[in-house]
Amino acid sequence: QLQLVESGGGLVQPGGSLRLSCAASGFSLDYYTIGWFRQAPGKEREGIVCINSGDGTTYYDYSVKGRFTISRDNAKNTVYLQMNSLQPSDTAVYYCAAGFGVRSPVVPAQYDCWGQGTQVTVSS
């Protein structure tokens, strides 16, 4: 059974940091593009970061570039999202997703497997 499990969300003050983890089971992450998406209340799910299989090239949306960093540990079959300088506008449920042959990294339909999501709340 293919499964992704996110962890690491929580409540943090503005300017703080969190590290999200996305652990895979049932398949090897290093053959897939892994994307991080987020969905705030009343808004559509948006793709913010992805890392490609093979060469490990990355994509960052302008809203998180310079603050968020994606990395992968193939030995642990886990992808991480380090989030620094968090702002209230970053509050959302964060999802990781895996896709094979992804051409448009911010399009949710390009991904085949999704985690259950983890809540990130940035508030003082």
Side-chain angles (χ1 to χ4, degrees):
Q1 182 179 1
L2 308 183
Q3 190 175 19
L4 293 172
V5 177
E6 301 98 335
S7 61
L11 173 64
V12 64
Q13 292 186 342
S17 299
L18 285 173
R19 189 178 80 156
L20 305 184
S21 299
C22 172
S25 60
F27 67 105
S28 179
L29 279 179
D30 54 349
Y31 294 108
Y32 289 79
T33 293
I34 306 301
W36 282 98
F37 292 75
R38 66 185 180 187
Q39 188 165 19
K43 294 187 177 181
E44 293 186 354
R45 191 169 298 189
E46 61 172 348
I48 54 171
V49 184
C50 84
I51 185 167
N52 291 314
S53 60
D55 62 5
T57 54
T58 56
Y59 161 84
Y60 293 91
D61 184 75
Y62 76 95
S63 63
V64 303
K65 197 168 188 177
R67 301 188 298 123
F68 291 12
T69 303
I70 190 170
S71 61
R72 66 196 307 161
D73 185 334
N74 290 338
K76 295 183 178 180
N77 214 23
T78 300
V79 171
Y80 303 98
L81 183 64
Q82 178 67 42
M83 305 187 297
N84 298 329
S85 302
L86 284 162
Q87 304 164 7
S89 57
D90 295 314
T91 295
V93 178
Y94 283 70
Y95 301 88
C96 66
F100 189 78
V102 171
R103 294 182 178 272
S104 302
V106 299
V107 177
Q110 294 273 307
Y111 292 82
D112 307 302
C113 181
W114 290 81
Q116 83 289 350
T118 186
Q119 177 70 47
V120 172
T121 302
V122 185
S123 175
S124 56

